[in-house]
Structure formats: structure tokens, C-alpha cells
């Protein structure tokens, strides 16, 4: 088996593929992380305060969240990728493991993001869509961009993260699904989509009411997850698994209110997309003939750096930059300009022969780049145009020029420290190829064993109710397994993917909501759970998990429920401008159904129904008195 693994690793290690997918993956990972940090900032007091707004135990949390946001932004744009990826990984570890996020506000995808970030550290992140790629070019300003080859990376940097983070996760999830009756009935997607706490605002009743289609979707998910690891890497099937995976996770993002989980999974499909598709999409999007030809002074360092910068962001290739000293003579539209005048400004010629100069050239460049056209048009607005012209003239007239000598020759970038990817995968920085392949294979084998330990421990022993404490030997093995689980869970994000199974929905037959009496004595709903029983935006993601997975469950824990009633009333009471001491909150309940067999129109049935008041909550200073039935389970 190990020999087969080495052969597969060696084949993928030696294969060179476009770097586009890795760059896109890094960009999307940074964006998803950034939106989650903004979510944490918004719900900072709800998540991190023992008593929202009243007992602020961690006043420095917002500072560190803004610091994390800066790191995630750097990762998204590809600025100092290596340092940003390591710092981002540390932030995920710290916030997930050492704050209330760990237990009370699990986002459902935190550990997945930790595992993904771990692999990201070792990937060639700066090869596409990155500021770091531009920084390297700017170290050699007199090297024209046309001399750079399209970046290629080892195919292993695509397949390895997908296999571990997606393939193993899918397989583990499929094992757990086999123990759930509604999944065996093909209703794994239908049931949570019919429970108000879990559904998004998008009304998909028409889809949920087609029984055969729901079962096709349910069984497709199971088949997809069981087979993904075996077949996603095959060229003939890669496109099929890409399309099915994109569809399934897009469905999660749109139909459930756990959109961060759906988006976190979706970004991995930047690595699953067939390589040929990147080439074809790139050829389709790029402009066949440049819309604008720009002429610059090739002996001006500032001009050369400007050209490299503009070209770096001209992803659609709408502009062609040429040295004026060499190519201007070939364009009749520039014949009236002498060389001295030509080198004084930045000139450009469009496809119709129109000539642009100075600020007009820059505006036309932005327009020709297409996606920046709004900025180009804005530059031509009165007053703003005159101000930009003044600034441009001051810079253009004071720039320095060089007589082309040894400074024009390409400058070595060897003084830059190699990234982890270069140290592992590039020959000039790494060990001999055979040693590298064996080291990677051994690391992969360890990761496989870590995942097997988790799947075997929770997917089989736990589900089959095997008593691992029946003998000293099995007890010792169980302790060893738990120790390995603790490490792999914390640092690699390897965890049981047992979401929305029978033990979650069995007996889930009631919803709780909170209302309050306003100054006129009229009952109003907190902007949390609405009259239908749906959790309102922005209470999705980890706030949804707090209420729907921890506070309100088939077996409600009174202490935890009261804790979260306290948090919700304090947070949304303050956010809604209520005087807590003079506001009476009402805890309401309504019945729903969560059957394991298909029923028509269950979604709409669960959204209707009458609420009944079952308790109350009243604040006095920092204390809250919550009255609930002694046994809420029998209501």
C-alpha cells in the first residue's frame, strides 16, 4: 500500500499545472475568513461577554479581531502570503480553542477552516492573484512582463488538500449518515430544510414537495461522499464531481442559514475544477486584441514599475504596454510627436487611432481593463480631473531617467527567502526528488491514520455502542485514541462530521422564541426568532448554532437555556434600544414535527402554528430572573 501511495505522490509531484486555482483558493479563503471576522465583531458582546454589554470580560477582543481582519485581508490580496497564512492559522487556533466560540458558538466550519489553513501554509499562494507576485516583478523593473512565463505548480498542491480536507471529511460523514434513518430514507437534505430554525429566508417549498427529487438529492449526496475520495482525481470524472459538489454546497448556502459552512466548502472547489477549464475560461475572458496600446519611457524606473503594476491588475489583457523608443515609430498616429515630447508624457493609442496623453491615458487604461472602468470614468469628472492633472504633472516632471546600463539587466531575486512550498517542492531549495516524495508520502500516511482514528472511533465504535472500557487493553487503546484525537482535532481540524443526524432531530418537536412588551404594553418580537420560528439574519452561522443546537434541543438543559436567554435578551435588548430594567420578556413555544419519512408541505406546516407563552424574563441591573416550567420537555 505504501509503495502505491509513493507512486501516486510521485506522479502528482512531477506534474506541472496552472497556478490559477491555488491563487483563487487563497483569495476566497481570505474573503470567507474576513466576513467571519466581521461577523464576530458585530456579535462581539453576545459571544465573548459573560453578560452582553454589562460584563465585558475581554475588552481587548475587538482589537485582536481587527488585527485578524487585517491579516485575513492581506491573505485575500496575497500580500506577504507566507506570514499572513501562518498568522491567520494562529488566529483560528486561538479563537476556536480559547474563547467561548469553542463550546457555545461553534460555527460548524471552524475546524474545517483550521485544517484548510494548515495546508494553505504550504501552498504556492503567491503565484496567482497576489500582491507578492507583483512585488517580485518590481524587483526587476526593467524586465518586461512579456518575458515572464505563466506560473505553474506541482499538481500535488491541488490534490493533497482536497483529498484530506474534502475527501476524508466526505467519507467520514457518509459513515455517520448510514446510522441515521432519514438519511437512509433519502431525506437528509429535506428534513433540516423543513425545520424553521435551519431554513434560510428562501422559500423552497416547491422543491421540498417533490418527494422523488428529494430522495434523488439525498441518495446522490451519500453516493457522492462515499466515492469522492476514490474518483475525484480521475481526469474523466473530475468535471462531474466538480459540478455535483458545487451544486450541493451551493444548495446548502442558499437553503440553510449556515451559509459560512457552505461557503467554506465551496472555496475548495477552486482546487477541484479541471485544469483545462481554467485555461478555457481564461481564453474566453481575455480580450482577443488589446483595446489600448500604451507607450512608456523604458529608461524611466518609475514608468517601468507603473507598467508592471498596471499589467499585473490587467487580468483581461485589455492593454498592451510598449517602450516608446522602440515601437512609437510604427504608429502613424504618433508621427507628429517628437521623441522628446513622447517621453515627457504617457501616450496611448486606441483601436480607432485616437491618441491619449497624461491623465487621459491612465483613465483610458482603467476603462480598457473593463472591471475598473468606473474608476476611469470617475477620473474624468470636473474638479476631480483638474486635481488629478495637477498631481500627475508634479510627479511626471520630477521623475528621473536612466541611461540604460547594467541597471537595466535583470536583477536576481535570490535574496528573497524561499517559501515553504519552494523548500518542499522546488528543486533548487529542496532535497533530491526521491527523498522529497518519500517524506511527503510519510506525512500523508500519518494524516490518513489520524483521520482513520477519528472515523473508526466515532463513526463505528461510538455508533455501534462498543464498550471500550471492558478490559485494560481496550481501555488503554481508547485513551491513546483520545490523545491522538485531541491533537489532530486541535491542530489539523480532523473531527467527526456527524451533522444533522437522527440523534439531533429525533424528538425535535418544539421551538422557542422571545418577545417583549413595549411601552404601550403591546407584544413585540425580538429581532431574533420571528413569528414563523425562523432565525432572522444576521443571527445565522454560529449564533444559529448557539440557539438551535445548544439552547433548544430534543433534551433541553435548563441551565444552558437560561444562560442563552440571558445573553439574547441582553444583547438584542440593548441593540433594539430597550430599557432592560423596565422591559418584560416573554418566552414562547410552539410545536413542530420532524418525521423521518417524507410528508408533503412539512415546511409550511412547521412555519404556521400557534405560539404559547411558557415563561418570562425580567432584568434588574445585572441580574435576570427567568421563570420557566420545571420540566419543559413535557410541555
Amino acid at each position: 500500500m505504501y509503495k502505491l501511495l509513493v507512486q501516486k505522490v510521485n506522479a502528482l509531484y512531477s506534474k506541472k499545472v496552472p497556478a490559477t486555482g491555488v491563487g483563487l483558493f487563497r483569495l476566497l479563503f481570505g474573503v470567507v475568513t474576513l466576513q467571519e471576522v466581521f461577523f464576530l465583531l458585530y456579535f462581539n458582546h453576545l459571544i465573548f461577554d459573560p453578560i452582553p454589554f454589562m460584563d465585558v470580560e475581554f475588552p481587548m477582543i475587538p482589537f485582536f479581531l481587527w488585527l485578524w481582519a487585517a491579516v485575513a485581508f492581506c491573505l485575500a490580496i496575497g500580500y506577504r502570503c507566507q506570514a499572513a497564512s501562518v498568522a491567520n492559522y494562529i488566529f483560528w487556533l486561538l479563537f476556536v480553542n480559547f474563547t467561548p466560540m469553542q463550546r457555545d458558538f461553534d460555527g460548524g466550519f471552524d475546524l474545517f477552516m483550521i485544517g484548510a489553513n494548515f495546508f494553505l501554509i504550504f501552498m504556492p499562494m503567491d503565484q496567482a492573484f497576489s500582491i507578492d507576485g507583483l512585488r517580485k516583478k518590481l524587483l526587476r523593473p526593467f524586465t518586461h512582463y512579456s518575458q515572464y512565463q505563466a506560473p505553474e505548480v506541482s499538481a500535488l498542491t491541488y490534490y493533497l488538500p482536497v483529498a484530506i480536507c474534502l475527501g476524508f471529511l466526505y467519507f467520514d460523514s457518509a459513515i455517520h449518515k448510514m446510522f441515521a434513518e432519514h438519511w437512509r430514507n433519502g431525506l437528509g437534505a429535506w428534513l433540516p430544510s423543513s425545520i424553521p430554525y435551519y431554513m434560510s429566508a428562501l422559500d423552497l417549498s416547491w422543491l421540498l414537495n417533490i418527494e422523488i427529487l428529494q430522495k434523488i438529492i439525498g441518495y446522490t449526496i451519500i453516493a457522492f461522499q462515499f466515492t469522492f475520495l476514490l474518483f475525484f482525481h480521475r481526469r474523466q470524472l473530475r468535471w462531474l464531481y466538480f459540478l455535483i459538489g458545487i451544486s450541493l454546497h451551493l444548495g446548502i448556502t442558499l437553503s440553510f442559514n449556515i451559509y459560512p459552512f457552505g461557503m467554506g466548502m465551496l472555496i475548495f472547489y477552486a482546487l477541484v475544477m479541471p485544469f483545462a477549464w481554467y485555461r478555457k475560461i481564461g481564453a474566453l475572458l481575455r480580450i482577443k486584441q488589446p483595446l489600448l496600446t500604451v507607450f512608456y519611457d523604458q529608461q524611466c524606473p518609475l514608468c517601468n514599475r507603473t507598467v508592471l503594476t498596471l499589467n499585473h491588475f490587467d487580468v483581461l489583457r485589455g492593454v498592451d504596454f510598449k517602450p516608446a523608443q522602440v515601437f512609437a515609430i510604427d504608429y502613424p498616429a504618433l508621427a507628429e510627436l517628437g521623441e522628446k515630447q513622447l517621453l515627457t508624457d504617457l501616450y496611448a493609442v486606441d483601436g480607432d487611432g485616437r491618441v491619449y496623453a497624461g491623465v487621459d491615458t491612465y483613465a483610458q487604461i482603467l476603462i480598457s481593463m473593463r472591471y475598473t472602468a468606473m474608476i476611469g470614468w470617475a477620473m474624468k469628472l470636473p474638479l476631480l480631473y483638474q486635481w488629478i492633472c495637477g498631481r500627475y504633472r508634479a510627479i511626471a516632471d520630477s521623475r528621473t531617467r536612466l541611461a540604460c546600463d547594467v541597471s537595466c539587466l535583470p536583477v536576481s531575486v535570490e535574496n528573497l527567502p524561499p517559501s515553504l512550498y519552494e523548500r518542499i517542492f522546488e528543486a533548487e531549495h529542496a532535497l533530491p526528488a526521491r527523498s522529497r516524495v518519500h517524506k511527503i508520502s510519510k506525512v500523508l500516511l500519518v494524516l490518513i491514520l489520524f483521520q482513520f482514528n477519528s472515523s473508526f472511533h466515532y463513526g463505528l465504535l461510538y455508533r455501534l455502542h462498543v464498550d471500550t472500557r471492558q478490559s485494560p487493553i481496550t481501555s488503554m487503546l481508547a485513551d491513546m485514541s483520545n490523545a491522538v484525537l485531541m491533537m489532530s482535532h486541535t491542530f489539523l481540524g480532523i473531527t467527526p462530521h456527524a451533522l444533522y443526524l437522527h440523534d439531533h432531530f429525533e424528538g425535535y418537536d418544539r421551538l422557542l422564541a422571545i418577545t417583549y412588551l413595549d411601552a404601550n404594553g403591546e407584544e413585540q418580537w425580538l429581532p431574533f426568532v420571528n413569528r414563523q420560528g425562523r432565525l432572522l439574519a444576521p443571527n445565522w452561522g454560529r449564533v444559529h448554532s448557539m440557539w438551535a443546537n445548544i439552547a433548544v434541543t430534543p433534551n433541553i438543559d435548563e441551565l444552558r437555556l437560561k444562560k442563552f436567554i440571558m445573553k439574547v435578551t441582553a444583547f438584542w435588548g440593548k441593540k433594539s434600544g430597550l430599557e432592560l430594567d423596565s422591559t418584560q420578556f416573554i418566552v414562547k413555544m410552539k410545536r413542530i414535527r420532524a418525521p423521518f419519512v417524507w410528508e408533503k408541505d412539512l415546511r409550511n406546516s412547521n412555519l404556521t402554528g400557534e405560539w404559547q407563552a411558557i415563561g418570562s424574563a425580567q432584568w434588574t441591573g445585572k441580574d435576570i430572573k427567568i421563570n420557566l416550567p420545571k420540566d419543559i420537555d413535557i410541555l
Side-chain angles (χ1 to χ4, degrees):
M1 178 180 174
Y2 177 73
K3 184 177 180 180
L4 183 63
L5 179 64
V6 171
Q7 290 175 349
K8 188 64 178 178
V9 169
N10 185 54
L12 295 174
Y13 176 87
S14 305
K15 182 179 179 181
K16 294 296 182 181
V17 296
T20 312
V22 176
L24 185 60
F25 173 74
R26 185 216 72 244
L27 188 156
L28 295 175
F29 186 90
V31 169
V32 170
T33 301
L34 189 60
Q35 71 81 30
E36 191 63 19
V37 175
F38 286 150
F39 182 95
L40 292 172
L41 280 164
Y42 183 84
F43 284 103
N44 163 37
H45 292 286
L46 176 66
I47 295 174
F48 302 108
D49 292 356
I51 305 176
F53 296 107
M54 295 184 237
D55 184 6
V56 182
E57 186 172 321
F58 307 103
M60 289 294 289
I61 283 288
F63 170 78
F64 287 107
L65 285 174
W66 280 113
L67 193 60
W68 189 4
V71 168
F73 179 75
C74 289
L75 189 62
I77 66 174
Y79 178 70
R80 299 194 179 275
C81 295
Q82 191 74 75
S85 63
V86 173
N88 199 61
Y89 177 71
I90 292 172
F91 273 117
W92 273 113
L93 282 179
L94 291 177
F95 273 88
V96 169
N97 291 287
F98 298 100
T99 72
M101 284 170 56
Q102 179 189 37
R103 180 182 181 186
D104 295 339
F105 292 89
D106 177 19
F109 80 134
D110 295 336
L111 294 171
F112 176 79
M113 294 295 279
I114 287 175
N117 204 150
F118 175 81
F119 283 98
L120 187 63
I121 293 172
F122 301 94
M123 296 171 74
M125 299 168 284
D126 61 348
Q127 298 296 305
F129 309 121
S130 73
I131 300 298
D132 281 355
L134 173 61
R135 290 173 62 227
K136 289 183 179 180
K137 292 177 184 177
L138 293 178
L139 292 174
R140 310 170 69 180
F142 292 100
T143 300
H144 194 264
Y145 59 80
S146 60
Q147 298 181 37
Y148 288 97
Q149 299 263 342
E152 292 188 331
V153 298
S154 170
L156 197 60
T157 61
Y158 280 79
Y159 287 100
L160 191 57
V162 172
I164 300 297
C165 295
L166 280 190
F168 288 162
L169 181 150
Y170 285 152
F171 193 81
D172 179 82
S173 178
I175 293 174
H176 287 280
K177 287 178 172 60
M178 291 297 94
F179 292 89
E181 182 181 348
H182 65 290
W183 275 104
R184 293 197 301 270
N185 293 337
L187 302 176
W190 170 81
L191 182 57
S193 298
S194 302
I195 306 297
Y197 275 173
Y198 296 88
M199 63 180 68
S200 71
L202 190 64
D203 187 354
L204 297 176
S205 300
W206 62 273
L207 185 65
L208 298 174
N209 285 337
I210 306 175
E211 179 181 4
I212 185 64
L213 182 58
Q214 288 302 307
K215 290 187 175 181
I216 289 174
I217 292 173
Y219 289 128
T220 297
I221 292 173
I222 294 175
F224 172 81
Q225 292 189 331
F226 265 127
T227 61
F228 182 89
L229 191 60
L230 298 174
F231 299 117
F232 86 93
H233 54 87
R234 296 182 180 271
R235 186 173 58 85
Q236 301 87 342
L237 297 175
R238 191 178 176 91
W239 65 271
L240 179 61
Y241 279 87
F242 172 79
L243 292 178
I244 294 177
I246 284 283
S247 301
L248 294 178
H249 291 299
L250 188 60
I252 290 174
T253 306
L254 294 176
S255 61
F256 296 158
N257 57 21
I258 53 170
Y259 70 93
F261 174 80
M263 293 193 304
M265 302 292 283
L266 275 172
I267 62 176
F268 256 91
Y269 281 83
L271 303 177
V272 180
M273 181 187 289
F275 302 123
W277 288 23
Y278 276 116
R279 298 187 181 98
K280 292 177 181 178
I281 292 173
L284 184 64
L285 292 178
R286 289 193 185 101
I287 299 168
K288 301 300 183 287
Q289 291 293 331
L291 304 176
L292 191 72
T293 303
V294 179
F295 301 89
Y296 67 96
D297 182 358
Q298 67 177 351
Q299 292 183 319
C300 165
L302 176 61
C303 301
N304 280 273
R305 289 188 172 92
T306 301
V307 165
L308 287 173
T309 301
L310 291 171
N311 173 261
H312 185 79
F313 292 102
D314 183 21
V315 293
L316 302 181
R317 298 296 181 261
V319 184
D320 190 17
F321 296 90
K322 294 184 177 181
Q325 293 93 329
V326 180
F327 294 98
I329 195 173
D330 299 329
Y331 288 78
L334 302 177
E336 297 180 359
L337 301 175
E339 182 175 332
K340 183 177 180 180
Q341 182 180 356
L342 192 62
L343 299 181
T344 303
D345 251 326
L346 193 68
Y347 284 88
V349 178
D350 65 15
D352 297 325
R354 287 187 291 264
V355 178
Y356 304 88
V359 172
D360 292 321
T361 296
Y362 281 100
Q364 204 61 32
I365 288 172
L366 294 172
I367 293 171
S368 299
M369 288 166 63
R370 295 289 178 88
Y371 73 96
T372 56
M374 292 293 291
I375 303 174
W377 291 326
M379 288 175 62
K380 297 184 177 184
L381 294 174
L383 298 181
L384 182 60
Y385 177 79
Q386 283 77 14
W387 180 82
I388 295 175
C389 284
R391 297 300 304 160
Y392 169 79
R393 197 73 268 152
I395 296 172
D397 292 343
S398 62
R399 64 188 172 91
T400 59
R401 300 182 71 246
L402 297 176
C404 198
D405 51 22
V406 68
S407 62
C408 298
L409 297 176
V411 178
S412 173
V413 293
E414 292 179 356
N415 57 327
L416 292 176
S419 65
L420 289 177
Y421 168 79
E422 291 170 330
R423 293 176 184 175
I424 297 172
F425 291 91
E426 300 295 340
E428 59 269 26
H429 299 289
L431 298 169
R434 184 178 179 85
S435 298
R436 294 196 297 271
V437 169
H438 277 280
K439 284 184 177 296
I440 294 171
S441 300
K442 290 174 182 177
V443 171
L444 179 56
L445 187 60
V446 171
L447 294 175
I448 292 173
L449 292 175
F450 282 165
Q451 180 61 60
F452 175 79
N453 178 59
S454 177
S455 297
F456 185 75
H457 190 111
Y458 287 107
L460 294 178
L461 297 181
Y462 173 79
R463 292 294 175 189
L464 295 173
H465 306 290
V466 175
D467 183 8
T468 58
R469 302 296 178 181
Q470 58 184 345
S471 72
I473 295 179
T474 58
S475 181
M476 180 188 67
L477 291 175
D479 290 338
M480 291 173 60
S481 174
N482 284 324
V484 173
L485 280 170
M486 176 79 67
M487 183 183 69
S488 61
H489 176 93
T490 302
F491 296 103
L492 299 175
I494 295 176
T495 189
H497 198 67
L499 298 178
Y500 298 169
L501 300 183
H502 60 293
D503 45 9
H504 181 83
F505 287 115
E506 189 172 16
Y508 210 125
D509 57 1
R510 59 200 167 291
L511 305 178
L512 298 184
I514 303 173
T515 63
Y516 65 93
L517 298 180
D518 64 15
N520 298 321
E522 295 183 5
E523 187 176 19
Q524 306 291 340
W525 292 74
L526 274 183
F528 186 60
V529 177
N530 70 359
R531 294 176 185 272
Q532 293 178 313
R534 287 193 306 104
L535 279 154
L536 297 173
N539 301 286
W540 293 357
R542 61 183 74 253
V543 176
H544 149 89
S545 179
M546 172 273 293
W547 190 254
N549 299 339
I550 301 175
V552 183
T553 64
N555 300 299
I556 294 177
D557 184 312
E558 183 181 353
L559 290 177
R560 304 208 78 186
L561 175 60
K562 287 184 175 181
K563 172 184 175 180
F564 293 125
I565 290 175
M566 176 272 293
K567 277 182 165 283
V568 170
T569 53
F571 180 81
W572 280 116
K574 289 287 188 180
K575 283 278 189 180
S576 301
L578 302 177
E579 290 291 338
L580 294 184
D581 287 358
S582 59
T583 302
Q584 182 181 357
F585 295 94
I586 302 170
V587 181
K588 312 199 77 168
M589 184 190 77
K590 82 166 181 176
R591 289 288 181 180
I592 61 168
R593 301 187 65 256
F596 291 162
V597 293
W598 185 83
E599 291 183 11
K600 186 175 182 179
D601 218 26
L602 179 65
R603 181 187 189 276
N604 290 328
S605 175
N606 279 337
L607 289 175
T608 57
E610 295 296 324
W611 291 88
Q612 58 176 311
I614 63 167
S616 63
Q618 180 70 56
W619 281 93
T620 305
K622 291 186 178 181
D623 296 322
I624 185 172
K625 183 178 181 181
I626 301 174
N627 296 311
L628 290 174
K630 291 184 178 180
D631 192 351
I632 198 170
D633 285 340
I634 65 175
L635 287 177

